[in-house]
Amino acid sequence: MFFGFDEDQIAVKEAVGALLDKRAGLTVLQQAWSDPAGPAAWAVWPDLADMGVQGLLAPESAGGSDLGWVTMTLVLSEAGRVALPLPLAETAAIGVPLLVSAGDPAGVLGSLVAGRAVVTVASGIGEADSGERPRAPAASRADWFVLGDRLYGRDDVVLRPVASVDATRDLAEVEALGEGLVVGSPLEFGALAAAAVLVGLGRALVSTTVDYVKDRHQFGVPVGSFQAVKHQLADAAMHVEFAAPAVWAAAWEMDQRGGDVGNIGEVARSVSLAKALASDAAERAARTALQCHGAMGYTDDYHLHLWLKRVWCLSPAFGSARWHRRRVGVDMGLHG
Amino acid sequence: MDLTWSRADEDFRAGARSWLEANVPRPALPSGDTSEGFARHLEWERHLFENRWSVVSWPEEYGGRGASLWQWLIFEEEYYRAGAPQRVTQNGIFLLAPTVFEFGTPEQQQRILPRMAAAEDLWCQGWSEPGAGSDLAGITSRAEPVDGGWALTGQKIWTTRGAFCTHLFGLFRTDPDSTRHRGLTYFLVPLDAPGVTVRGFGRLDGDEGFAEVFFDGVVVAEEAVLGGVGQGWSVAMATTGSERGLTLRSPGRFSAVVTRLVDLARRSADPGGHPDPLLADQVVRGWMEAEAYRLFTLQAVTALAGGARPGAESSLNKIWWSELDIHLHETALALRGDAAELDDAWMRGFEFSLSGPIYAGTNEIQRNIAAERLLGLPRS
Ligand SMILES: Cc1cc2nc3c(=O)[nH]c(=O)nc-3n(C[C@H](O)[C@H](O)[C@H](O)COP(=O)(O)OP(=O)(O)OC[C@H]3O[C@@H](n4cnc5c(N)ncnc54)[C@H](O)[C@@H]3O)c2cc1C
């Protein structure tokens, strides 16, 4: 039993974190808000590929490193920390492993790993109105679209841009024209990847808010000295820190299955655990962050909203907390 | 990362499981917070000791098995899984003992630990006083130097199972001119010493699980001091760290409640054959929070095994398990419908769960600690 990370895993996480801080910092994020498909937002994509990020789950034969899901989720939590406005989870943690297990039917793995092509994915869960079409982020830049268990090329889909609360999402409704290629369901990969990003978002929300309340003075003292503020932040931190190990454990289990989609059902409970805890924790962190910032958090002039809105997008993506609890409940025989 | 158990750990688990299956008393013992029930629990504690299961993580010379922290976790998991009795010796073996191992002289270790393991000496915890609960540094019970030792005067309260125990560990002020955290000393006191009066009283569930302990010039020897005169605060903090952190409430305890809760939910079906979906959701939430606690603990034990010292994260731990326990029991009572009012195991579990956010430092105090020491927020 050893529930920690090895040196290589930590080194990859730190290297990617440093790259993101340098090349995908706040200015880039703000540029992505007004132009999500533009060159500023995407500048870090080839750098990530040079560092091997898109190939973390690809075999060496496809130019990848096969480092696995534990490393992948650590990296995705870094992407969440900076609210990276790019489909890294969709490409590296969903598209790549789906194609690997499907035997790369379209012959695109190499270009994904090299950072020359982009996959996006429609999560497609929990539609209240089943007449709605699936939606996918990064729609203007994606070369490949995963809808249901199939992969479509850009020429085989019709896109209709729709506004997301998070403008960096570059969201569009996607309608498939052809048959596509069967690659398998993105659900388990997508839920685990989103959970990892949510842990990063949640940690960032707690730490930026801690910084803010130490700095902001009212009644002659830092507002962070008030218990009502402290206790909310302690709770938010607790929920995020209790979600994180569930994400790493699900990633470890995924690695034990060798990413084989055929066996993925066995890890479904662990994935649901991770996603439900991470969604709830990140939503709590977002609420707390906003409340503790006061009106400063309630303006799009200030950057906090970028993290809040990303949480609102990813918390329901690939199954909300409630959806995943229900899935486990069905497995336990508690639902019809 | 490797979340599998070693062969040796699996063997240890199998050994614990088969012994517990063959030995756990059936039907369950009466509450250990009454004098009759306490006596039955003592028999059980001595049976555990004779089979070397009372203090698995201690060295063999003191009656343990030298088990690793991992094996201790496994034992706890199996212990609660088997539905074994509450540990009426817990305040000694889980709270005082780690402090004796760390701060005790060899003489104290020899004198105290084997008798504690054997449930010959039964220890209760004497921190709180009528005027000093959360504000522990405000205690006024005092110790004055006398020939060959100290004379203790004052009062402790809320002492768990004080009326049934033989010894008390607690803080007394040895420097009359001191205030707050300074000038305190950690004492180990036999409750049969002249001048000690113990009065048991009822907890919320009506059992005599609490006591007031009065000290009227009680004379104890020099060797009754643990960890040095005037060092009481830092020695006591080691004990409270154990209480909030790992040792008092291991994950296995809650996993076992979850198993019973899932069973209850399956049996609480409506005419359609399934429990109320909102309650089913709460059951799964409980399972998830217990799993999160188990995983958080595996992460913490990995760090401890790598040489880290337990720190302020133990405050988050304490908030988590205490709120989890309430959630599990509230959900169970909701599933029970109007049978919830019955004075049975679920109601008793619920009542006890409500004390979780109060004892071992209230959850408000834990949130202060987490905010100040983990997040670095300014003191008020
Ligand atoms: C089941 C049970 C078993 C116990 N066993 C023992 C035992 O064996 N030995 C022993 O010594 N004691 C024991 N205690 C007592 C326990 O340690 C105290 O109850 C605890 O420290 C709180 O003190 P208090 O009850 O005086 O509450 P108070 O300190 O009076 O607190 C009342 C309320 O005010 C809040 N409050 C107080 N200070 C602050 C602050 N600074 N910031 C925010 N809120 C604050 C508290 O959180 C609480 O909600 C036990 C208690 C229970 C319930």
Side-chain angles (χ1 to χ4, degrees):
Chain A
M1 183 63 64
F2 174 76
F3 195 172
F5 305 106
D6 63 37
E7 280 171 22
D8 290 347
Q9 290 164 339
I10 291 168
V12 172
K13 174 192 146 144
E14 286 178 353
V16 175
L19 171 68
L20 292 173
D21 283 334
K22 194 159 130 235
R23 304 269 288 140
L26 187 54
T27 323
V28 173
L29 182 56
Q30 281 160 338
Q31 286 168 312
W33 181 264
S34 42
D35 185 10
W42 283 80
V44 74
W45 193 257
D47 301 339
L48 287 165
D50 286 347
M51 213 173 245
V53 174
Q54 284 89 327
L56 284 172
L57 300 178
E60 287 174 19
S61 58
S65 62
D66 225 353
L67 283 180
W69 273 96
V70 172
T71 311
M72 184 82 248
T73 46
L74 278 175
V75 164
L76 287 173
S77 73
E78 286 297 287
R81 180 174 63 77
V82 301
L84 181 72
L86 299 177
L88 187 63
E90 287 80 355
T91 298
I94 306 176
V96 165
L98 280 179
L99 287 167
V100 169
S101 67
D104 193 14
V108 294
L109 209 42
S111 61
L112 297 181
V113 169
R116 292 193 309 274
V118 172
V119 178
T120 190
V121 184
S123 119
I125 279 188
E127 301 290 350
D129 169 1
S130 55
E132 279 183 51
R133 289 190 199 291
R135 290 171 303 272
S140 332
R141 291 288 295 253
D143 305 288
W144 299 94
F145 294 76
V146 176
L147 300 181
D149 61 356
R150 282 155 199 265
L151 181 76
Y152 299 87
R154 194 169 180 87
D155 296 338
D156 298 323
V157 295
V158 178
L159 301 173
R160 279 179 217 86
V162 284
S164 165
V165 64
D166 175 357
T168 68
R169 293 269 287 171
D170 184 17
L171 199 66
E173 286 184 357
V174 192
E175 183 184 354
L177 297 178
E179 290 289 295
L181 294 166
V182 175
V183 290
S185 164
L187 176 61
E188 309 303 334
F189 296 151
L192 180 52
V197 178
L198 284 161
V199 163
L201 288 163
R203 283 183 169 164
L205 282 161
V206 170
S207 71
T208 36
T209 307
V210 164
D211 290 344
Y212 183 81
V213 301
K214 279 197 228 172
D215 195 47
R216 168 77 174 164
H217 282 62
Q218 288 292 284
F219 303 97
V221 295
V223 294
S225 64
F226 297 125
Q227 278 194 348
V229 168
K230 282 182 177 169
H231 288 193
Q232 286 189 57
L233 278 165
D235 273 333
M238 174 179 75
H239 282 272
V240 174
E241 292 315 317
F242 274 79
V247 174
W248 320 138
W252 180 83
E253 285 201 27
M254 198 74 104
D255 283 335
Q256 303 317 294
R257 304 292 189 285
D260 179 350
V261 184
N263 287 331
I264 243 42
E266 295 173 30
V267 297
R269 259 204 202 193
S270 305
V271 168
S272 283
L273 176 70
K275 182 61 166 60
L277 291 167
S279 287
D280 276 347
E283 283 192 30
R284 178 189 289 264
R287 273 291 298 277
T288 301
L290 175 54
Q291 185 64 23
C292 296
H293 274 78
M296 182 59 91
Y298 201 78
T299 165
D300 66 359
D301 263 1
Y302 187 72
H303 55 259
L304 188 73
H305 79 111
L306 298 163
W307 276 259
L308 303 180
K309 290 169 181 171
R310 189 67 58 77
V311 168
W312 300 338
C313 294
L314 294 186
S315 175
F318 300 101
S320 65
R322 183 75 196 272
W323 189 93
H324 281 282
R325 286 197 298 270
R326 190 177 162 87
R327 182 165 84 151
V328 173
V330 169
D331 196 37
M332 288 178 171
L334 300 179
H335 293 288
Chain B
M1 190 171 294
D2 177 8
L3 304 186
T4 53
W5 294 108
S6 69
R7 185 77 240 163
D9 289 345
E10 291 290 8
D11 290 348
F12 178 87
R13 181 189 296 280
R17 181 173 295 188
S18 63
W19 188 84
L20 286 163
E21 270 166 11
N23 287 275
V24 165
R26 299 275 178 253
L29 301 183
S31 160
D33 300 314
T34 61
S35 54
E36 190 245 298
F38 191 82
R40 300 281 307 280
H41 277 77
L42 275 191
E43 291 166 22
W44 166 248
E45 287 292 336
R46 287 171 187 157
H47 187 56
L48 278 176
F49 173 72
E50 280 152 18
N51 291 276
R52 285 200 306 126
W53 291 113
S54 74
V55 286
V56 292
S57 59
W58 294 14
E60 296 193 11
E61 54 174 315
Y62 299 123
R65 291 172 179 251
S68 67
L69 212 42
W70 295 118
Q71 291 176 341
W72 175 78
L73 274 180
I74 291 172
F75 177 73
E76 287 278 302
E77 225 169 77
E78 293 301 321
Y79 190 86
Y80 288 103
R81 183 180 173 278
Q86 67 177 130
R87 299 295 304 272
V88 295
T89 50
Q90 67 174 18
N91 286 355
I93 63 182
F94 292 156
L95 303 180
L96 174 58
T99 318
V100 172
F101 278 116
E102 189 172 347
F103 296 95
T105 63
E107 182 277 323
Q108 285 175 319
Q109 295 176 346
Q110 285 301 333
R111 177 160 50 85
I112 295 167
L113 295 169
R115 292 183 58 78
M116 185 193 293
E120 297 295 337
D121 292 346
L122 301 159
W123 290 87
C124 60
Q125 173 168 257
W127 302 142
S128 307
E129 299 181 0
S134 298
D135 188 11
L136 179 57
I139 63 163
T140 57
S141 291
R142 60 187 199 276
E144 285 149 334
V146 292
D147 252 4
W150 299 86
L152 310 178
T153 305
Q155 180 192 351
K156 299 291 177 182
I157 194 168
W158 318 121
T159 318
T160 293
R161 286 184 287 276
F164 315 128
C165 287
T166 60
H167 289 70
L168 172 141
F169 58 94
L171 282 184
F172 292 78
R173 197 168 288 285
T174 36
D175 178 354
D177 299 325
S178 68
T179 54
R180 311 293 303 156
H181 312 83
R182 276 179 280 277
L184 302 176
T185 300
Y186 195 124
F187 279 94
L188 305 170
V189 190
L191 288 176
D192 61 3
V196 177
T197 310
V198 181
R199 185 187 77 85
F201 62 103
R203 296 199 309 200
L204 186 63
D205 60 13
D207 288 349
E208 201 188 333
F210 275 146
E212 291 178 289
V213 185
F214 300 90
F215 303 86
D216 186 9
V218 176
V219 175
V220 294
E222 308 275 7
E223 299 77 50
V225 171
L226 182 64
V229 174
Q231 300 303 308
W233 186 260
S234 55
V235 181
M237 286 307 106
T239 305
T240 58
S242 306
E243 188 170 21
R244 283 160 203 167
L246 209 57
T247 54
L248 188 65
R249 297 287 178 253
S250 69
R253 180 183 177 111
F254 305 103
S255 302
V257 178
V258 169
T259 305
R260 288 198 294 129
L261 180 62
V262 171
D263 261 15
L264 175 68
R266 289 202 182 112
R267 283 184 281 111
S268 316
D270 65 9
H274 295 285
D276 174 342
L278 281 174
L279 291 179
D281 183 61
Q282 293 305 308
V283 171
V284 177
R285 183 193 289 273
W287 173 78
M288 288 187 164
E289 289 174 357
E291 278 296 290
Y293 184 48
R294 188 178 66 81
L295 294 169
F296 189 85
T297 302
L298 293 179
Q299 196 177 258
V301 171
T302 298
L304 293 176
R309 301 255 325 158
E313 325 80 67
S314 65
S315 290
L316 296 184
N317 225 44
K318 197 256 155 169
I319 301 170
W320 189 270
W321 61 247
S322 57
E323 294 192 344
L324 163 63
D325 203 26
I326 292 180
H327 174 78
L328 296 176
H329 287 92
E330 276 181 347
T331 307
L333 292 188
L335 283 162
R336 303 260 296 140
D338 66 3
E341 73 166 312
L342 296 175
D343 191 10
D344 62 6
W346 281 118
M347 176 52 85
R348 294 215 154 216
F350 170 66
E351 286 179 316
F352 187 62
S353 76
L354 293 176
S355 68
I358 302 174
Y359 67 80
T362 71
N363 284 11
E364 288 73 30
I365 298 294
Q366 304 311 321
R367 287 185 171 92
N368 290 347
I369 294 173
E372 287 165 15
R373 305 208 198 131
L374 285 178
L375 302 180
L377 290 173
R379 290 171 161 275
S380 343

